[in-house]
Amino acid sequence: MSDNSLPLVISAPEPRTLELIFTPPSLARLRAGHRIVETTDRDIAALPADILAAARYIIGQPPISGELLARMQSLRCVFNVETNLIDNMPYETLFERGIHVVTTGAVFAEPVAELGLAMAINLARGIVDADLAFREGEELWGGDGNRTARLISGADVGIIGFGDLGKALNRLLSGFRTRTRVFDPWLPPSMLIEHGVEPASLDAVLSESDYVFVVASVTSENQGFLGADAFAKMRKGAAFILLSRAGVVNFEALMDAVRTKHIVAASDVFPEEPLGLDHPVRTLPGFLRSAHRAGALDVAFKRMGDMVLEDMDLMDRGLPPIRCKRAERETVSRMRSKPVDRN
């Protein structure tokens, strides 16, 4: 088979690279079965007309204008490997032409869920603070070091959002015999019940939980929706663990709730990333910090490549993509997550 007869792939996976998201054998398989044109998202529009016309797949999430899309008559799928759906392409036209837009974000569900559980355990047992005290020779032994400690086992847990990450987190929590309530207005109650959780209102999740995990995507409808009123409804001493995007909370209000010792909190995400060295959250007692590293494991990145290859194989046989998550016509335009910083 000549190179020109192979399916053409435009590769612009910034901020990822092909070497990051494919194992060497998988990348060799991609190159053996496809004609790869590597470029940047800023330079796609300048590619030769014959390349654009022949492109079957895009690996990346480049801005695509209506004019550029009109030149891409063979396009079948955009593989978003950054994983945040943003409003940078004419989704309605894509849907009308039957072009799939899919994300590989599911690869991050288990890694993020595991770190989220670790954060909750730390907030419950004070592991980091105890270690730091030990290093300074100020450790408290036995019961003296457990005055504020508590269990997750049997606790009341609330989850806000129940996509791939919420489901992965729930699987981990099942071993702790928690009573888990979930608020997700995009899912019917029966789907939540099937996963062994209780459908609940936002107020119930906030006010009846010892631990509240936030794993909801940022949309046009929920930016900053967790503010001072929400934190005031939480049980005194409850733990708030933010794992999805900082845009769903009023971050100043969250810090105030921790500063007044109404709640404790942990976050893997922040309003600006990287965070300024003088940001007050850096030194806030009762706040556990992680530098947006929950999902960034090599094993997760490599799973992206496997998903892309499997779905390409399906589409080359006239079947729809299954492994990656497809953007939905009704919801994609509501997404407001920030893309990963390129720096």
Side-chain angles (χ1 to χ4, degrees), residues 79-285:
F79 288 93
N80 182 328
V81 294
E82 195 275 342
T83 74
N84 287 301
L85 290 167
I86 55 178
D87 190 19
N88 67 345
M89 55 187 72
Y91 289 107
E92 280 299 324
T93 305
L94 287 162
F95 289 129
E96 288 170 4
R97 286 181 48 185
I99 299 169
H100 298 290
V101 179
V102 300
T103 82
T104 55
V107 301
F108 295 131
E110 286 185 348
V112 175
E114 287 192 8
L115 188 69
L117 178 58
M119 285 178 146
I121 293 173
N122 180 80
L123 292 175
R125 303 300 296 272
I127 298 168
V128 169
D129 288 343
D131 175 71
L132 293 173
F134 211 107
R135 298 182 193 198
E136 299 297 323
E138 299 174 355
E139 73 276 8
L140 298 174
W141 293 85
D144 289 338
N146 281 324
R147 289 171 184 161
T148 61
R150 51 191 166 153
L151 294 177
I152 292 181
S153 296
D156 291 317
V157 169
I159 301 177
I160 299 174
F162 206 67
D164 293 322
L165 175 50
K167 294 180 181 69
L169 178 61
N170 183 55
R171 289 194 295 272
L172 295 179
L173 289 169
S174 64
F176 290 85
R177 307 181 309 282
T178 59
R179 179 179 181 181
T180 303
R181 299 176 177 87
V182 172
F183 171 71
D184 191 324
W186 286 13
L187 294 178
S190 62
M191 289 188 68
L192 301 178
I193 294 169
E194 287 171 1
H195 285 273
V197 299
E198 299 178 25
S201 66
L202 179 60
D203 281 355
V205 165
L206 292 169
S207 64
E208 299 176 22
S209 300
D210 302 308
Y211 303 87
V212 175
F213 293 88
V214 180
V215 295
S217 299
V218 185
T219 72
S220 57
E221 300 162 355
N222 71 2
Q223 295 185 79
F225 82 111
L226 295 171
D229 291 345
F231 302 125
K233 293 173 183 175
M234 293 179 64
R235 292 175 175 173
K236 184 171 177 57
F240 182 89
I241 300 99
L242 177 58
L243 296 173
S244 51
R245 286 292 183 268
V248 299
V249 305
N250 180 320
F251 213 80
E252 291 295 328
L254 173 58
M255 290 192 296
D256 285 342
V258 174
R259 191 176 291 115
T260 60
K261 299 184 179 180
H262 180 64
I263 62 172
V264 292
S267 184
D268 185 55
V269 291
F270 298 90
E272 302 89 32
E273 297 180 2
L275 197 65
L277 294 178
D278 59 347
H279 197 286
V281 78
R282 287 184 177 272
T283 55
L284 181 59

Side-chain angles (χ1 to χ4, degrees), residues 31-44:
R31 294 189 184 282
H34 302 82
R35 181 184 172 199
I36 311 297
V37 175
E38 298 190 52
T39 184
T40 69
D41 56 8
R42 301 172 186 85
D43 296 328
I44 286 181

Side-chain angles (χ1 to χ4, degrees), residues 295-316:
L297 275 68
D298 188 64
V299 65
F301 290 128
K302 294 303 188 286
R303 287 174 182 169
M304 287 185 176
D306 293 339
M307 293 171 70
V308 169
L309 282 174
E310 287 182 332
D311 273 349
M312 281 185 178
D313 179 65
L314 288 171
M315 285 185 282
D316 285 341

